[in-house]
Amino acid sequence: MISIPGRIPAARVVLAAALMLESAGAPMAGSVDPLVQVSGPSLFADCMADLPQGGINFAGSEVEPWVAVNPVDPLNIVGTWQQDRWNNGGARGLAVGVSLDGGRTFRTVVVPGLTRCTGGTFLRASDPWLSFGPDGTLHHIALAFTSGPGGFNGILANRSTDGGLTWSPPVVLAANSPPFFHDKETITADPHDPLFVYAVWDRLDFSRNLGPALFARSRTGGATWEPPRILYDPGFGNQTVGNQIVVLPDGALMNFFTEAIGNRLFLSYRRSEDRGATWAPGAGAFRVMTLTGRGAIDPDRRRPVRDAAFLFDVAVDPRTGALYIVTQRGGFADGVPIDQVGFTRSIDGGLSWSALATINRTPAEAGPLERQAFIPSVHVSGNGTIGVSYYDFRFNDPAPGALTDHWFIWCHPLASDCARPSRWREELRMTGASFDMLQAPFAGGLFVGDYVGLASAGADFIALFSQPHDGDPASAFSRRVFPDDPVDPRGAGYWSHQVRAHLLGRGRAGVPESLLREYLEDIRALYDPFDRVDGLADLDAVLAPPPPPAMRALAERQVLALLLNQASLRVPPFTEIRPGETLTEVIDGLIAVLGDPSSSFRSLEAAKDLAEAINEGVLPAG
């Protein structure tokens, strides 16, 4: 249920809610910077130290990328990936790509001390993840292991104080021999305190058939770490995987994870109000939903794609605390089982969640297997826009090869109800051209990563993803995305042009006539001063009063334009125009002035000036 703060007439609440849920303004395309190849030739082409492990190595492959942006210097963008993936697990080492110019260029740096190819003791490394602290310290975490008799595995954390150009030796957070195996770790720097850093992963115990989530914490900015402890144990025969911590604006931690209970998969979480010292609820977990992903297959040879079928990605709006989750959602297309991208949100700290909505924009006319969408990522930009990326096969054709592309869509929660699939904006293509998924490394399936990266720099997004190209098994590519701003207001002149474009058939109309009429009908029904405005011709008379216009006519012109901005969600009803005063409350005051026949010239002029300032995007200072 939508609520608007303050004392607002019930009719206005109905209008605001109806517009928020039903209206959609004229679509505007976002834009992208040129595609940038982040990774280059193999850093470990001459390393033979890991050969005793056996298997097939995909030399020159860079897979499973993740990305973060420095909050102190948004030009500093860092991605990480597995370098030279093996078919039977792990890679020769992990690397980072460091940009100091906003993503135009990158230099590649080895994460040191993990594998023998990078100066460490383990043979292989996997599952790279990184996170910037609020002071610009960059934290990196990895799984490193040596398999077979006498094998060893552990979770290792490095940090960088110069934006990723140089790194400290790794700190071992946990290490064990079989039957224990640590897996799927992530790291989260507390955005409110540079001293606190959190790491979480699952530890498999093959002898006792256990898989609890383990948690480690640093209170020294990553220099030292507390011993790991069990955050959640789902019990005998069950396990967790994909643990990921986000930090809410009030400092609370929420650890989300896939919970495997028997043959069922749940997306669950636990919450901490004291920076990880204790976790709720008791010995259990809160469950968001059942995970239904089956996993994608390539539409050409029907080979499995190793994707995020049993995983998810989560993001939090650092201003509002709204939580957003994407996952692969199992469904059907023409009777064929396929996965698509599911989205859910919570605006009450995880207490309730919207129904899972399928949001990928893969065309319905594509073949069933071409409509598969997989490996979704989600992030929230600095202005609250939600961005989601994913792969699909829409451009695949009968020729040999499984043509694949990477896509980006977005939604602004102030301008649209993002729980509704139709409210998401049109797609932007991240790939420069379709690539053949069959060229990707095969490691339990065609593999570009269990996850890929999505971050933001201000209102822009940074996508980092892996793809084969030019005979290379996989490389990391980046693209900066500029979504359109759905809360950019329009002046009265803009709306006058839209009306004239439909009345006279001249110019390029950006709003369909049917939508203009819907906006007008809503306004007529609820705002008495405009109940005489009926049809586009009358609308034109108000928006462009003939000279010499009276002050009341000028005020009506600006207020009607403001109502059209509200109806089209160019300025959403919930927008706070002045401290503690929403747009709807401001409009109530303006309508009161227009509806009073005794309003003075000065009050009408003030109403006109206020409406005009909002329409032109120059909001009053108080």
Side-chain angles (χ1 to χ4, degrees), residues 19-21 23-25 28 317-320 322 324 343 345 347 359 361 378-388 408-426 458-461 482-488 568-576:
L19 294 176
M20 178 64 76
L21 293 174
S23 297
M28 295 180 59
D317 189 321
R319 306 167 309 163
T320 67
Y324 307 110
F343 170 86
R345 71 172 181 204
I347 58 175
I359 62 169
R361 307 300 288 272
V378 63
H379 194 77
V380 182
S381 75
N383 70 357
T385 300
I386 311 164
V388 171
F408 176 87
I409 59 175
W410 70 97
C411 180
H412 198 296
L414 282 180
S416 300
D417 179 6
C418 299
R420 300 182 67 187
S422 61
R423 297 288 84 94
W424 287 75
R425 311 293 278 185
E426 70 280 357
D460 306 339
F461 286 87
F482 307 94
D484 69 292
D485 183 0
V487 293
D488 176 33
S568 66
L569 296 175
R570 302 305 302 181
V571 184
F574 300 112
T575 302
E576 190 174 79

Side-chain angles (χ1 to χ4, degrees), residues 16 53 62 69 71 105 132 141 172 207 212 223 248 269 324 394 399 409 471 499 528 533 600 617:
Q53 199 75 70
E62 293 88 29
V69 178
T105 61
F132 271 105
I141 197 166
V172 178
S207 66
L248 301 187
Y269 73 88
Y324 307 110
R394 71 182 63 187
I409 59 175
V499 172
D528 293 340
V533 181
S600 67

Side-chain angles (χ1 to χ4, degrees), residues 458-475:
D460 306 339
F461 286 87
I462 310 296
L464 183 68
F465 59 96
S466 181
Q467 68 164 83
H469 69 104
D470 302 324
D472 189 303
S475 290

Side-chain angles (χ1 to χ4, degrees), residues 280-300:
F286 298 105
R287 288 179 179 168
V288 177
M289 65 176 134
T290 300
L291 296 173
T292 60
R294 302 180 181 91
I297 61 173
D298 88 78
D300 192 73

Side-chain angles (χ1 to χ4, degrees), residues 247-398:
V247 184
L248 301 187
D250 63 2
L253 310 185
M254 297 189 71
N255 178 55
F256 290 87
F257 52 91
T258 296
E259 185 180 12
I261 306 295
N263 61 358
R264 299 188 66 187
L265 299 176
F266 301 96
L267 176 55
S268 305
Y269 73 88
R270 301 195 84 207
R271 181 183 176 110
S272 174
E273 305 288 345
D274 50 16
R275 289 175 165 160
T278 60
W279 295 85
F286 298 105
R287 288 179 179 168
V288 177
M289 65 176 134
T290 300
L291 296 173
T292 60
R294 302 180 181 91
I297 61 173
D298 88 78
D300 192 73
R301 297 184 185 176
R302 308 301 198 264
R303 302 183 79 188
V305 176
R306 180 171 168 180
D307 55 20
F310 60 89
L311 298 172
F312 61 91
D313 193 22
V314 58
V316 60
D317 189 321
R319 306 167 309 163
T320 67
L323 293 157
Y324 307 110
I325 288 175
V326 291
T327 185
Q328 287 181 218
R329 179 186 192 182
F332 293 88
D334 300 331
V336 177
I338 66 168
D339 281 4
Q340 297 197 337
V341 176
F343 170 86
T344 184
R345 71 172 181 204
S346 174
I347 58 175
D348 56 11
L351 296 178
S352 62
W353 296 83
S354 63
L356 192 65
T358 300
I359 62 169
N360 58 289
R361 307 300 288 272
T362 310
E365 59 268 21
L369 294 182
E370 282 72 23
R371 288 169 62 184
Q372 298 174 97
F374 51 98
I375 316 180
S377 297
V378 63
H379 194 77
V380 182
S381 75
N383 70 357
T385 300
I386 311 164
V388 171
S389 65
Y390 54 89
Y391 294 91
D392 73 16
F393 296 116
R394 71 182 63 187
F395 292 136
N396 188 51
D397 57 32

Side-chain angles (χ1 to χ4, degrees), residues 141-159:
I141 197 166
L143 160 67
F145 62 92
T146 299
S147 298
F152 212 61
N153 65 89
I155 304 297
L156 290 77
N158 303 69
R159 67 173 183 162

